[in-house]
Each structure stands twice: as structure tokens, then as C-alpha cells.
Amino acid sequence: MAWNYAELSKMAKDSGGPEKLVELLVKSGEKKILPWVGVAFAGGIALTVGVRKIIDYLAQKKAISTAEVESAKKELIQGIKNYDVTQAATENEVMQEPDGETDEAIEAN
């Protein structure tokens, strides 16, 4: 990077010396960056709120899904138990036929 020292020297003289010129340049940089700090702060807040809402939404969907799975499990288990009870009752009826015939023999006649 090439510096034009003649221009810097003139600017330093107009500003009251090299130290004052450097301070002036630093302060002008601070003034330019200050709005960006505010934008970054506001953006960070908005991003945090948005991410939090997304996390809450997904957690709620997971809770609903878990409840649905549990309900389906209970329904399936109860259905199997009901089927087993019905099958056991049917088997007991077949075994207790008075003349020893099974359902298949009766259907064949």
C-alpha cells in the first residue's frame, strides 16, 4: 500500500498534529461503525426470538407426536388382548361340543 505522505502531512498540519489526525480518523471510524453495532444488536435479538419460537414449535409437535404414538400403542395392545380373549372363548366352545364334532365337521354337513 502506497501512502502519499505529502497529503498526510498536510492533513496532520490542518488537524493540529499527527496525534490529533490519528484521533480524528479513529473517531470518524467509530461514528461509522456505531449504527452497524445497533443493527447487529437488533438482528441478534430478532434471530434469538425467531430461533426460540422454532424450537418451541418443534418441541410441541414432538409432544403431540409422542402422545399419538402412546395412544396408538395402547389401542393396538388392547386390540390384541381382545382378539386373544375372543379366540380363547371360541376354542373353549369347540372343545366343549357335546357330541364331539368340531365346527369344521358341522360346516361340512
Side-chain angles (χ1 to χ4, degrees):
M1 177 193 275
W3 291 91
N4 187 344
Y5 288 102
E7 286 183 29
L8 285 174
S9 177
K10 184 175 184 257
M11 286 173 61
K13 185 177 179 183
D14 291 341
S15 300
E19 293 83 14
K20 295 223 179 192
L21 175 64
V22 170
E23 280 183 42
L24 179 69
L25 291 173
V26 169
K27 285 182 182 179
S28 72
E30 288 174 355
K31 288 179 184 176
K32 288 180 183 177
I33 197 72
L34 191 59
W36 289 108
V37 170
V39 168
F41 182 73
I45 290 173
L47 184 64
T48 301
V49 169
V51 168
R52 188 68 203 156
K53 286 188 179 207
I54 290 170
I55 289 171
D56 289 343
Y57 173 76
L58 293 175
Q60 181 184 12
K61 292 293 273 183
K62 181 181 177 187
I64 291 171
S65 178
T66 303
E68 289 174 352
V69 167
E70 289 300 317
S71 174
K73 282 176 160 180
K74 288 178 183 178
E75 185 178 333
L76 184 61
I77 290 169
Q78 188 60 43
I80 292 171
K81 287 179 180 179
N82 291 343
Y83 177 78
D84 288 343
V85 168
T86 304
Q87 285 301 105
T90 304
E91 287 177 8
N92 284 338
E93 286 178 10
V94 170
M95 295 179 122
Q96 294 176 0
E97 292 277 333
D99 54 354
E101 292 184 15
T102 62
D103 286 340
E104 293 172 1
I106 294 171
E107 288 177 8
N109 291 334

